[in-house]
Amino acid sequence: SVECLLFLCSNILTPSTAYKAIAVKKFVDLGKTINEATDILLPVLKEKTGKQVADNLYKISLLPDDLLLFIHEKKMSVKNAYEFTRINEENILEISKIIKSYTFTSSEARILGQLLFEISKRDNLMFYDIIELVKKKINEEIDGAKLIYTLQDIRYPEYRTFKKEYIALLNALSLPPRIKIKEKTNFETNEISIELKCKSVKELDFFLTKLKTTVDNNSFEKIFKHLEK
């Protein structure tokens, strides 16, 4: 228990999901049940207590070190990190290699895991075989974004068409370059965000007028209807 307390004290200000998971495992290794470990660590875990959270943290602690490091560095939540625990041992080693080889955000890593898991389950393929298939489809140097985009195309053949139509609707807005429209990653919700940069009140007024005109001519309505599909 002294080892666990020292471990927690060194990270108590910003305990990441990885730290929380490892702390639970340390107490379990000392003979506590998962729930007992969670109850002891509750002030530090800063998570709603419960069997599900406890089980999830313990399962996360069993992931390969490379993945735990990624989860810590990217500040992944328990919910997002748990996605990796659904993957079998052989495939989890492959996804660890992928995450080391390419650059991913926390959200992208979760989507990567989901896509590989769903394709593997549907087509009865190992992750390694799926990645080899992606390399053949791309036939050029791969980066994280291209990898996810191609996996989306394999998992959801209609996705590429949907995104092309969405981009065409965005271009039709003819907004100034300093106004950016951003959608949720992987179109996970129907929400969009609008970002604008201006240097003066006059420029701000111009941008707001431009946005209002775009709203009035129903251009944004077309985008929202498309996102509802």
Side-chain angles (χ1 to χ4, degrees), residues 100-145:
K100 284 179 67 177
S101 301
Y102 307 105
T103 302
F104 298 100
T105 64
S106 172
S107 179
E108 288 170 341
R110 175 177 54 78
I111 292 169
L112 172 72
Q114 287 176 334
L115 289 169
L116 285 170
F117 179 80
E118 291 169 2
I119 295 169
S120 174
K121 188 175 180 180
R122 184 193 66 189
D123 300 342
N124 194 28
L125 292 172
M126 299 300 291
F127 284 12
Y128 173 83
D129 298 319
I130 298 171
I131 297 303
E132 288 302 304
L133 178 62
V134 168
K135 290 177 180 177
K136 289 178 182 177
K137 283 180 72 74
I138 295 178
N139 198 29
E140 60 183 63
E141 188 174 348
I142 300 176
D143 58 28

Side-chain angles (χ1 to χ4, degrees), residues 166-188:
Y166 172 77
I167 291 173
L169 289 170
L170 283 186
N171 292 336
L173 296 176
S174 297
L175 293 172
R178 291 167 70 85
I179 299 179
K180 304 291 184 183
I181 308 294
K182 297 181 179 180
E183 69 284 351
K184 289 289 185 179
T185 303
N186 204 30
F187 298 103
E188 292 179 320

Side-chain angles (χ1 to χ4, degrees), residues 34-75:
I34 295 175
N35 284 338
E36 286 173 343
T38 306
D39 289 340
I40 293 169
L41 297 168
L42 190 58
V44 177
L45 294 180
K46 299 178 182 177
E47 296 281 350
K48 292 181 179 178
T49 187
K51 187 176 186 304
Q52 193 61 59
V53 171
D55 288 345
N56 289 356
L57 283 169
Y58 184 72
K59 289 175 181 176
I60 290 168
S61 76
L62 302 177
L63 291 170
D65 290 346
D66 289 339
L67 266 183
L68 285 173
L69 180 60
F70 178 86
I71 289 166
H72 168 67
E73 290 178 342
K74 299 296 182 179
K75 298 179 174 61

